[in-house]
Amino acid sequence: MLVSEQGETVRIAAAGDIHCSEENRERVAAAFDEIRGRADLVLLAGDLTTHGEPEEAAVLAEVVRGFELPIYAVLGNHDWHSDRSDDVTVTLRDAGIVVLDGDSAVAEVRGVRVGIAGTKGFIGGFPDSALPDFGEPLLRRVYAETTREVKAVAAGLEAIADCDIRVVLLHYAPTTTTLEGERQTIWAFLGSDRLAEPISEHHPHLTVHGHGHSGTFEGFVGSVPVFNVAVPVMGRDFFVFELDDEGRLLTAETDRPQKAAHRAET
């Protein structure tokens, strides 16, 4: 494993649910401008557009074209809404954004290899409210879709196993610990604990997701820190995580959004 001799740290700016459209172009541009010099790479945890229209994706593409930092993203449910996800993906990739869809990527930051396993994730619920692999074919297809996403997380983590820092990038939540604050009646539509299985097995250093706008910023899957980086939860446009070259999270507790603070933003 490659480890920086200088004891380098890596700063990762993360956000989800930025919901780009022409109406918020200026805010999005200002948000990216603000993290220049504060981060080494950017993670976008889905819902990059408002309704999944390529024109909305073009707003983000135009903002980040030529941006100095590498950007990695997954799509969210909003990005699929108009059934034009392929066009959205092409638009974003043409601007230099690495859109992950069940695969992985590696960024090198001052000699530290940062691996990102990225996929959208899907629904399915959590203990006591989980969708079973039983019943109508349509429901079983939903279960099968989540299975594909779980396998994608596992494959992505296997591909980055030799990286110094390993990150999982999702849209849907793999744990209820970051959904506290959302109505429990909709938790089944906000994620699935099945997504946690490969996280528990492979122990990445960091997992980020979005989607749960009224959830909680910080949670966990076993010993793995999980963060809900949806903009309404954070109450800010980006949160910058700092990790050392062995993947230990250095971000101070006092720097993290507080639950009471983000409630006012939702």
Side-chain angles (χ1 to χ4, degrees):
M1 180 180 293
L2 177 63
V3 178
S4 169
E5 295 179 356
Q6 292 77 30
E8 293 286 0
T9 63
V10 175
R11 299 163 300 167
I12 300 174
D17 305 83
I18 61 177
H19 296 293
C20 287
S21 68
E22 193 58 51
E23 287 70 23
N24 68 357
R25 176 189 290 267
E26 290 186 3
R27 174 173 177 166
V28 173
F32 276 91
D33 188 59
E34 196 274 333
I35 60 169
R36 282 188 169 95
R38 294 184 54 225
D40 298 304
L41 58 94
V42 180
L43 302 181
L44 298 178
D47 280 5
L48 312 178
T49 65
T50 302
H51 297 106
E53 297 291 350
E55 294 79 8
E56 296 166 345
V59 172
L60 177 58
E62 290 160 12
V63 165
V64 304
R65 195 177 304 277
F67 194 66
E68 300 89 342
L69 306 179
I71 303 172
Y72 303 88
V74 296
L75 300 187
N77 56 306
H78 278 247
D79 305 317
W80 276 81
H81 177 72
S82 297
D83 199 21
R84 300 189 66 186
S85 61
D86 287 347
D87 295 330
V88 167
T89 298
V90 167
T91 300
L92 298 175
R93 286 177 173 164
D94 283 349
I97 297 174
V98 179
V99 181
L100 299 173
D101 182 17
D103 48 357
S104 63
V106 177
E108 186 162 319
V109 179
R110 295 181 296 278
V112 180
R113 297 181 72 236
V114 182
I116 304 113
T119 194
K120 174 173 60 67
F122 203 44
I123 65 173
F126 302 89
D128 298 326
S129 63
L131 178 70
D133 187 15
F134 182 85
E136 293 94 325
L138 181 59
L139 286 176
R140 297 190 69 190
R141 286 200 292 274
V142 172
Y143 187 93
E145 180 65 20
T146 304
T147 299
R148 283 190 287 271
E149 293 291 304
V150 172
K151 290 180 177 178
V153 176
L157 283 168
E158 289 167 4
I160 62 171
D162 63 344
C163 289
D164 303 303
I165 298 174
R166 303 181 306 280
V167 181
V168 174
L169 175 61
L170 298 165
H171 181 62
Y172 287 86
T175 171
T176 60
T177 59
T178 50
L179 295 181
E180 295 288 347
E182 292 280 5
R183 302 188 312 278
Q184 290 192 23
T185 52
I186 66 169
W187 279 5
F189 303 101
L190 298 178
S192 170
D193 66 334
R194 296 175 62 206
L195 295 166
E197 295 169 7
I199 294 172
S200 295
E201 179 181 354
H202 293 275
H203 297 283
H205 298 102
L206 176 67
T207 295
V208 297
H209 72 86
H211 194 43
H213 288 200
S214 296
T216 296
F217 176 64
E218 186 168 2
F220 53 86
V221 168
S223 62
V224 177
V226 179
F227 293 90
N228 180 348
V229 295
V231 167
V233 169
M234 299 192 297
R236 63 182 76 177
D237 293 310
F238 281 100
F239 188 84
V240 179
F241 299 94
E242 188 172 14
L243 299 93
D244 69 14
D245 55 14
E246 294 183 352
R248 289 183 290 257
L249 192 62
L250 303 177
T251 309
E253 184 71 32
T254 54
D255 294 333
R256 299 179 185 180
Q258 299 299 307
K259 193 168 185 177
H262 78 65
R263 278 292 172 270
E265 301 288 335
T266 58

